[in-house]
Amino acid sequence: MICGKKGDTMADQSSIKVLVVDDEETLRMLVGMTVESLGLSMLEAEDGTAALEICKKEKVAFVVTDINMPGMNGLDFCAALKKQSPTTEVIIVSGFIDQKVKDHAAKCGVTKLISKPYDYGDMESSISEALQRYNAKKAG
Amino acid sequence: MAAPPAKPVLTLQHLECAVIVDADNSMLSLIGNYLTKGKVGNCNKFLTGDQAKDFIQNSLCDLLIIDWKMKNPTGLQFYEFVRGMEQYKQLPIVLVSGVVTPNDIQIAQVDRFARFIVKPFAEEVFLTTILKFVGKPGVAVKKPAPAQIPQQVAPAVSSEQTQGAVQSSQSVSIGNKKDSGLQIIKNSSNKKIDGKNDMMIVAGSGNKSGLGLHVDKGQRIAGGTNPQIFDQDQHGLEINARTSKEDLGGDFEAVQKRDQGNEWEMSETEFSGLSDDGTIKNESHDLTFTANQEGPKDGTNLDGTFSRSGVIGQGEDLKMQRASNSGDFNAQQEGARHSDFAGEAGPEARGGSFDGNFGTESKPTGKDMADPRRASSTGQNMRSANRGDSSSTSANQTQGRTSNPWVMEEDAGSPDIPAPEGQPLQNQTPSPAEGSQGPDGLGASSEQQENLNHELGLDGTSPGLETANEGSEVRHVEEPEAPRSDGEAGSDNTQKSAILDESAIPAKDRPRKTLCVSTVMGTKVDVLVPLDVLIVDHDEAQQKLIAQHLTEIGADNVQTLSESPTAWDRIQEQEYDLIIIDWKLRGLSGLALYSRIRENPPTATTPVIVMSGFVHKEDFRLLGESHYTKYLEKPIKKKDFEEVLKDAMTEAATHDKITMMIGNLIDKMNGDSKKIVTLIEGLLKNIANPFIFVLCAGEHLLNKGDLDNAEKVLRIAQKIDPNNVTVITELSKIYHRTGRSDLAIVMLSKANAMSPDSVERLCLMGEIGLTVQDPERARKYFEATLKIDKDHAKAKAGMVLTDNLKDSKIQPAGKSVSSGLASSLNIVAVTLVKNSQFDKAISQYQSAMCFVFDPGTLARLQFNLGMAYLKDKKFEQAHKWFKVAAGNATPEFQKPTGVLEKLERFLSKHQKDGGLSDANLADAFIVENQDLDAENQMKGMKLSAATSPVAGVTGKLAG
């Protein structure tokens, strides 16, 4: 990220879409705040099922999801997504991350686990890193 | 009449040996001078703890004064070192600091032999404190046993550096004069020192016979004109030698230090440290030097002040620069080499003086030290042919110099020495409120100059500044003198970098480098260098140094100004990425300028670096209130400057980013309170450090005028940090604007107690005084504002309103406080008009506009001002203000538009008749429009709540 009082330079990445999945609108907004501050576009879903639908229709760069959601939870969604789109990265944000969740997440190919309440910088750097990997994959 | 009581004599003569360790040479001098006046036996001064260690270990001092904020070692480290020594467990130690934290106080409480003194302090306060301290029970002052004191213990500060403490006809002891140490006696002549009379070196019994002096480790010898051989078999020798004018064409003083005791021969014409060709060999260590040259402004060649100090690295050239702006000056002053000085210096012939001081901590063998010194003036070059036989050289001669470019002096225009006896020293360290009025008398030391010079990499090794004539990258272009706001010819030497036109291009379209990679909220970010920078400092040398550094790191439009009123004009005209201001400015104090910057919406979030050696602790709190402000303590070192610059730019960028992000989110909610509160609750729940987000959200809502939601959000912020001054102030504005003046007063009083110098807050408190129709309260706070900034437009307007309110003795019956400030102000003015006090009424309206920013209310006041002019028979002015009011008319208040139409029809009709005077036109118009009257309905109008900027006020007044 480049910061400056004036003349911030940021390549136009608004075509890159990040899917944020959470049943709480506030958290979607807060994650979206970070996503948009990096110049990316945000897609939103309230649960895993809706998220999978979006992933079928849209070209999603990567996903940020909660675990505990009504219907399909975040881990199940992650497992389903990996079958549908194996290269799409997933970042999980949750207030309940224990060893069981970690193990499960590892099996589902989750890239990063972030505990709530999260440090804003952790969220931003996780998204930035996911973006870099996405861009690298695209270029490669 | 009874005679005033005699001033108690403060004497500390029972103290025989005091040690002062302070990184600021001026403070060393100042404290030394105080102690000398207090009749302390010996004052031994050191710039660093490391330098003082040997002395402390080898002697028995009975008072130690430590600069708490010094570095390497820090004040704390050095204090602990001293306390760790058995003999100093009960040594009275005075810790000097500009700011004392609770932790510091704890130290003082735990150690009853330690005491803090907060800078700035007056002589009397200082001596009284010391006297009380060393006299208090249990604080024993050890009397050093003479036998225990080593001979001629050397202070690390040269005689030149101790200049502030050396008065004419005084003696300065080095070591313990009662023993066999050295005594330097300086005669009454300040202008000239020759080997016979002016400065005598009296060696004690420790010296060897003949020409040599025996010097023990860490000791210093000041030698006379005779060749001397120092047989030194221990390391740590420092020699202070002066050559004779007859041979050199000018007196010359040099200080050399040696690490190991090879034989060192000194003669009239050369040091053994000089090679055959006269250059100083500097193989293994840096050369430290100080040179100052002064001349009269008499049209002779030497017209200006020449001053330079620094550290020269091994094998590097010594370069010197012009320091003065008083005239053209030498561009080529050869003579760092000993022989050159001899040949060139003869300033007395020009009525000036020359002062050179060379020190080297080297084995004087090896590479040459050439010194192609050049001037940086844009004026004509001239060679300083001060060859002559009458030059005067003195370690004490620099006291009259006007500026030294190589040091970040607190006030270069002030003398480096303390005030003469009888002159209140307090005047030298004015409070911020009065800081603009005079020098503080606290210049920085030559050692600091050296450090700075070296630290900034500008110690002659960087040709940038002086190569305006030599094609360097950095070229400063003189601008025409800008007129000062007071109407006098400006003395500003406005400088811009050569690429001045760059400023015409928006910063975002100009290439910029990365300043640093910082961690912002845990994320690595590239912070970009500021491109457009304004430096405001009356010391041009400091301006140049900072400008040079900024230019080197990529700033392409660095402007420098000396006069703060001009700077304020410039700040209003142009956008800057960074503003650097000295706290001790003339004309408009640093505090006043800073306050204006922060009150002015376009610069409210511009990163500002405040530089000073002395900032009151209250001001620290004020500076700490803004995320966009950083403080940089003088003397400035490159490393510190870089760090502060990075901090300032990073924090500003971070704050901008958070404000932008949270602002965007809030804007999407279209004022929906429920959503906004849910968002804030979400922040609290999901983000680890939510305070800054919540505060930014509250400020964003307040700036948008959404007072209801702003209050909700800011109250949440206050729960997180109940004593946050910014939150308290912002909430106070809301309470005031929503008619809860009592609550606002309570909150503002709390904030004011924590940070008393906020002009914005003081003005707001004055405004509340007007609102509650309490002229005394209003006056108190407007006066406090004017004490900080005597030209503060809003406070001046507030004073007018206060006077009118008091004089009018109007008690608006039926008008509650909640009807608002605008109503109160309007009622006073309307009453004044009815009483035919038109001038007062007009002044009342104009002043009232400073407190109103709501367009509807403003239009009403402007309309009423037009009415006042009309009734005062000033038709043209009335026409003007009706026009202005019509321009601000709102759908709810269209009266000005109608009146303006009538007036213009009337004017059109009567212009055909021709010849009607202004007064006749007014009369005729009033007769034709008898139903016309001032607008009384101010009820429900929004108040400014101190958000109307000074600049905006000016604009409004101008119509």
Side-chain angles (χ1 to χ4, degrees):
Chain A
M1 192 181 77
I2 298 174
C3 275
K5 176 68 180 158
K6 289 190 293 187
D8 284 358
T9 56
M10 193 176 287
D12 183 14
Q13 300 182 110
S14 57
S15 61
I16 298 175
K17 293 169 185 169
V18 179
L19 175 61
V20 181
V21 191
D22 199 305
D23 57 325
E24 270 188 54
E25 188 188 6
T26 310
L27 191 88
R28 295 201 304 270
M29 289 172 75
L30 292 175
V31 175
M33 178 174 82
T34 311
V35 168
E36 288 172 2
S37 78
L38 294 168
L40 312 174
S41 294
M42 182 181 73
L43 301 170
E44 296 180 60
E46 290 185 8
D47 58 40
T49 311
L52 277 177
E53 284 301 310
I54 290 174
C55 288
K56 280 180 192 168
K57 292 175 189 167
E58 301 276 354
K59 190 180 177 187
V60 173
F62 53 92
V63 177
V64 181
T65 181
D66 188 14
I67 292 178
N68 296 319
M69 292 179 288
M72 186 186 282
N73 72 26
L75 292 171
D76 292 343
F77 159 64
C78 188
L81 179 66
K82 285 292 166 184
K83 287 177 190 168
Q84 184 179 305
S85 174
T87 56
T88 304
E89 282 195 22
V90 177
I91 296 168
I92 282 185
V93 186
S94 175
F96 309 98
I97 296 177
D98 55 16
Q99 193 54 47
K100 197 176 167 187
V101 170
K102 285 180 186 172
D103 294 342
H104 198 157
K107 283 179 194 167
C108 298
V110 171
T111 316
K112 177 97 181 176
L113 287 166
I114 298 174
S115 295
K116 286 195 287 188
Y118 60 84
D119 187 286
Y120 177 81
D122 285 346
M123 174 63 76
E124 194 181 67
S125 57
S126 299
I127 293 174
S128 294
E129 287 161 12
L131 174 66
Q132 281 175 17
R133 286 192 291 271
Y134 173 76
N135 282 333
K137 263 188 266 177
K138 215 166 67 168
Chain B
M1 195 170 66
K7 209 174 172 179
V9 177
L10 300 169
T11 174
L12 296 165
Q13 59 190 2
H14 58 295
L15 299 179
E16 292 187 7
C17 177
V19 171
I20 313 163
V21 188
D22 197 308
D24 183 341
N25 195 39
S26 301
M27 281 307 294
L28 275 182
S29 295
L30 191 72
I31 294 171
N33 205 30
Y34 287 172
L35 292 178
T36 303
K37 286 180 182 177
K39 305 196 186 313
V40 172
N42 296 316
C43 296
N44 302 280
K45 303 165 191 169
F46 300 87
L47 288 164
T48 68
D50 283 335
Q51 290 172 351
K53 277 180 181 175
D54 278 353
F55 180 86
I56 293 273
Q57 283 171 325
N58 293 321
S59 46
L60 272 175
C61 67
D62 40 25
L63 175 65
L64 174 60
I65 296 168
I66 301 175
D67 172 14
W68 194 240
K69 298 297 177 191
M70 69 183 184
K71 293 173 183 170
N72 301 322
T74 62
L76 176 62
Q77 288 167 339
F78 186 66
Y79 160 86
E80 286 173 343
F81 163 79
V82 174
R83 271 287 178 259
M85 296 165 71
E86 194 54 40
Q87 67 269 39
Y88 290 134
K89 293 288 184 199
Q90 295 185 5
L91 173 71
I93 299 180
V94 176
L95 306 163
V96 178
S97 176
V99 183
V100 180
T101 66
N103 284 344
D104 300 334
I105 293 166
Q106 272 186 348
I107 288 170
Q109 284 172 340
V110 170
D111 183 352
R112 65 193 176 108
F113 304 104
R115 174 70 56 89
F116 271 93
I117 294 184
V118 182
K119 291 187 285 190
F121 41 73
E123 178 188 339
E124 193 175 335
V125 171
F126 179 77
L127 290 178
T128 306
T129 307
I130 301 271
L131 188 62
K132 283 181 186 169
F133 179 44
V134 298
K136 80 177 184 184
V139 181
V141 178
K142 289 188 179 181
K143 302 289 178 188
Q148 291 177 285
I149 300 179
Q151 298 170 2
Q152 305 167 7
V153 180
V157 183
S158 71
S159 59
E160 191 219 322
Q161 288 170 312
T162 60
Q163 59 188 288
V166 181
Q167 301 295 323
S168 295
S169 302
Q170 285 185 346
S171 67
V172 173
S173 298
I174 298 178
N176 188 324
K177 66 184 176 187
K178 293 175 183 172
D179 202 48
S180 54
L182 289 175
Q183 184 175 7
I184 299 175
I185 300 172
K186 179 182 174 302
N187 79 351
S188 59
S189 166
N190 251 341
K191 293 183 178 177
K192 184 177 176 183
I193 294 175
D194 66 34
K196 293 175 183 175
N197 300 318
D198 293 273
M199 184 175 280
M200 293 172 61
I201 311 297
V202 182
S205 59
N207 64 303
K208 291 184 174 178
S209 59
L211 300 173
L213 293 170
H214 177 79
V215 184
D216 283 326
K217 177 183 177 182
Q219 296 179 2
R220 163 186 286 193
I221 297 172
T225 59
N226 293 327
Q228 295 170 26
I229 297 171
F230 298 98
D231 183 7
Q232 171 63 24
D233 55 8
Q234 295 181 54
H235 60 81
L237 171 65
E238 182 177 334
I239 297 170
N240 186 344
R242 184 173 53 74
T243 57
S244 75
K245 62 175 186 175
E246 288 81 8
D247 294 293
L248 302 179
D251 284 348
F252 174 74
E253 174 168 322
V255 176
Q256 291 200 339
K257 295 176 183 174
R258 300 180 74 189
D259 284 334
Q260 290 293 338
N262 297 325
E263 282 200 356
W264 194 345
E265 181 175 318
M266 300 184 70
S267 72
E268 290 181 352
T269 54
E270 67 173 31
F271 299 103
S272 63
L274 301 175
S275 64
D276 292 339
D277 64 358
T279 58
I280 295 175
K281 294 176 179 178
N282 187 37
E283 187 176 38
S284 58
H285 295 279
D286 288 344
L287 168 70
T288 60
F289 66 93
T290 301
N292 293 285
Q293 188 167 9
E294 300 171 1
K297 299 170 187 176
D298 60 2
T300 57
N301 285 340
L302 181 58
D303 183 8
T305 298
F306 188 93
S307 179
R308 174 68 196 275
S309 174
V311 178
I312 299 292
Q314 176 185 339
E316 293 172 348
D317 285 350
L318 170 62
K319 297 170 183 175
M320 299 190 78
Q321 285 183 272
R322 188 181 79 109
S324 167
N325 61 352
S326 59
D328 297 333
F329 191 61
N330 162 35
Q332 289 288 335
Q333 169 89 18
E334 296 178 7
R337 290 178 298 177
H338 187 197
S339 56
D340 285 337
F341 262 117
E344 298 290 325
E348 197 171 272
R350 315 266 177 234
S353 64
F354 185 86
D355 183 349
N357 183 345
F358 286 81
T360 175
E361 295 184 353
S362 68
K363 292 177 183 177
T365 56
K367 296 179 183 177
D368 293 349
M369 293 293 298
D371 62 340
R373 289 172 286 172
R374 293 178 285 273
S376 62
S377 168
T378 54
Q380 67 183 79
N381 292 340
M382 80 179 195
R383 187 171 178 80
S384 79
N386 7 325
R387 190 184 307 275
D389 59 2
S390 56
S391 72
S392 61
T393 302
S394 167
N396 300 327
Q397 290 269 328
T398 57
Q399 59 188 266
R401 69 177 184 259
T402 57
S403 177
N404 185 329
W406 301 107
V407 63
M408 297 304 182
E409 288 176 348
E410 181 61 18
D411 185 342
S414 63
D416 282 353
I417 58 169
E421 193 124 27
Q423 181 178 334
L425 281 159
Q426 268 178 311
N427 292 346
Q428 295 180 343
T429 54
S431 69
E434 62 197 14
S436 61
Q437 305 307 316
D440 59 27
L442 296 170
S445 69
S446 58
E447 184 159 324
Q448 287 160 351
Q449 297 168 22
E450 292 157 8
N451 289 341
L452 172 74
N453 203 17
H454 187 60
E455 289 281 344
L456 284 177
L458 296 170
D459 46 355
T461 59
S462 174
L465 277 177
E466 62 223 47
T467 49
N469 306 326
E470 300 179 16
S472 164
E473 284 179 5
V474 185
R475 288 177 295 150
H476 293 285
V477 180
E478 298 280 346
E479 268 192 351
E481 281 193 341
R484 278 167 41 179
S485 64
D486 58 8
E488 294 173 19
S491 61
D492 273 344
N493 181 18
T494 306
Q495 297 177 335
K496 294 183 180 183
S497 69
I499 322 167
L500 200 56
D501 290 340
E502 290 282 9
S503 61
I505 305 169
K508 64 183 173 62
D509 298 330
R510 282 144 59 192
R512 67 163 72 189
K513 296 175 186 172
T514 299
L515 175 64
C516 62
V517 179
S518 292
T519 303
V520 178
M521 297 180 293
T523 308
K524 282 186 177 175
V525 294
D526 292 329
V527 179
L528 302 176
V529 295
L531 293 182
D532 301 314
V533 184
L534 177 65
I535 302 165
V536 190
D537 193 321
H538 59 260
D539 185 338
E540 286 177 32
Q542 292 187 39
Q543 294 174 358
K544 286 179 181 175
L545 280 173
I546 298 168
Q548 168 74 357
H549 183 62
L550 286 165
T551 308
E552 282 174 358
I553 61 170
D556 62 14
N557 175 32
V558 181
Q559 299 177 23
T560 56
L561 286 171
S562 305
E563 298 293 327
S564 46
T566 314
W568 172 237
D569 293 341
R570 183 71 59 82
I571 287 165
Q572 290 175 281
E573 290 163 6
Q574 198 176 325
E575 187 183 356
Y576 294 99
D577 296 328
L578 172 68
I579 299 171
I580 300 173
I581 61 171
D582 184 25
W583 204 239
K584 301 281 184 195
L585 290 171
R586 295 168 186 156
L588 186 66
S589 72
L591 174 60
L593 179 61
Y594 173 76
S595 301
R596 288 188 187 187
I597 291 169
R598 286 292 172 248
E599 278 193 292
N600 183 33
T603 54
T605 57
T606 301
V608 173
I609 293 176
V610 172
M611 307 180 296
S612 182
F614 297 93
V615 170
H616 287 197
K617 57 187 174 187
E618 296 83 12
D619 296 334
F620 272 119
R621 293 191 190 119
L622 177 70
L623 300 179
E625 284 182 44
S626 171
H627 300 281
Y628 298 87
T629 303
K630 289 289 167 190
Y631 171 68
L632 180 59
E633 191 169 355
K634 287 183 175 181
I636 296 166
K637 293 185 176 177
K638 183 182 180 184
K639 191 181 166 194
D640 295 340
F641 178 73
E642 282 176 345
E643 279 179 11
V644 168
L645 178 64
K646 285 173 190 172
D647 283 354
M649 299 309 293
T650 303
E651 201 163 322
T654 305
H655 204 72
D656 281 347
K657 184 181 158 190
I658 293 173
T659 303
M660 183 268 292
M661 289 192 307
I662 202 78
N664 286 344
L665 269 187
I666 283 175
D667 288 347
K668 285 178 188 170
M669 296 173 179
N670 294 320
D672 185 328
S673 289
K674 197 176 170 188
K675 282 186 178 176
I676 290 170
V677 171
T678 306
L679 171 70
I680 300 303
E681 285 171 350
L683 276 168
L684 299 179
K685 184 177 156 192
N686 293 305
I687 292 188
N689 299 302
F691 176 77
I692 187 69
F693 289 89
V694 181
L695 174 60
C696 287
E699 287 180 324
H700 180 77
L701 287 161
L702 182 57
N703 290 336
K704 281 181 69 181
D706 186 349
L707 302 187
D708 185 38
N709 285 318
E711 181 178 345
K712 284 175 185 161
V713 171
L714 287 168
R715 285 173 81 117
I716 294 171
Q718 199 189 16
K719 278 185 187 166
I720 302 171
D721 186 353
N723 291 320
N724 186 286
V725 178
T726 307
V727 174
I728 295 171
T729 306
E730 300 294 62
L731 274 172
S732 306
K733 288 179 191 171
I734 295 168
Y735 295 146
H736 173 47
R737 287 169 69 171
T738 50
R740 289 170 286 173
S741 298
D742 291 347
L743 195 50
I745 288 170
V746 171
M747 298 288 276
L748 285 170
S749 298
K750 183 180 176 184
N752 211 37
M754 288 191 273
S755 178
D757 282 338
S758 165
V759 163
E760 182 196 26
R761 218 164 14 245
L762 290 169
C763 239
L764 183 55
M765 292 177 87
E767 186 176 324
I768 293 173
L770 287 174
T771 307
V772 299
Q773 294 160 33
D774 181 349
E776 292 311 315
R777 177 187 293 275
R779 178 182 298 282
K780 175 183 169 186
Y781 290 108
F782 288 132
E783 278 181 349
T785 308
L786 291 170
K787 198 174 172 188
I788 293 170
D789 182 357
K790 67 181 172 62
D791 294 320
H792 193 274
K794 194 168 177 178
K796 282 167 92 173
M799 287 300 287
V800 170
L801 299 175
T802 303
D803 289 343
N804 288 346
L805 182 65
K806 200 174 177 185
D807 293 348
S808 300
K809 293 179 182 171
I810 292 165
Q811 299 295 329
K815 288 282 177 187
S816 67
V817 167
S818 62
S819 66
L821 176 63
S823 286
S824 301
L825 301 178
N826 188 53
I827 289 164
V828 171
V830 167
T831 309
L832 289 166
V833 170
K834 282 180 182 167
N835 294 338
S836 300
Q837 292 177 278
F838 298 116
D839 288 346
K840 247 184 172 179
I842 287 164
S843 165
Q844 171 81 6
Y845 280 125
Q846 287 179 330
S847 301
M849 280 183 230
C850 294
F851 293 86
V852 174
F853 81 126
D854 165 65
T857 312
L858 196 61
R860 283 170 167 83
L861 289 174
Q862 287 161 343
F863 175 79
N864 285 1
L865 177 58
M867 285 300 301
Y869 273 120
L870 192 65
K871 292 188 174 178
D872 196 24
K873 314 274 172 68
K874 290 173 179 164
F875 187 83
E876 198 179 326
Q877 282 293 326
H879 186 192
K880 174 189 159 188
W881 281 103
F882 285 137
K883 261 187 187 171
V884 173
N888 285 328
T890 58
E892 298 80 31
F893 182 61
Q894 286 292 320
K895 201 170 173 180
T897 312
V899 171
L900 183 65
E901 284 169 4
K902 280 184 187 174
L903 189 140
E904 288 183 340
R905 276 200 303 272
F906 168 85
L907 196 59
S908 170
K909 180 180 148 193
H910 287 277
Q911 271 175 344
K912 287 174 190 167
D913 303 339
L916 275 183
S917 69
D918 213 35
N920 289 340
L921 280 172
D923 277 339
F925 185 72
I926 290 169
V927 169
E928 280 187 23
N929 300 276
Q930 294 204 358
D931 57 335
L932 195 60
D933 210 345
E935 175 66 19
N936 287 319
Q937 294 299 316
M938 295 284 166
K939 196 174 177 180
M941 293 301 124
K942 291 174 186 171
L943 307 178
S944 75
T947 51
S948 61
V950 175
V953 166
T954 312
K956 284 168 194 165
L957 291 177

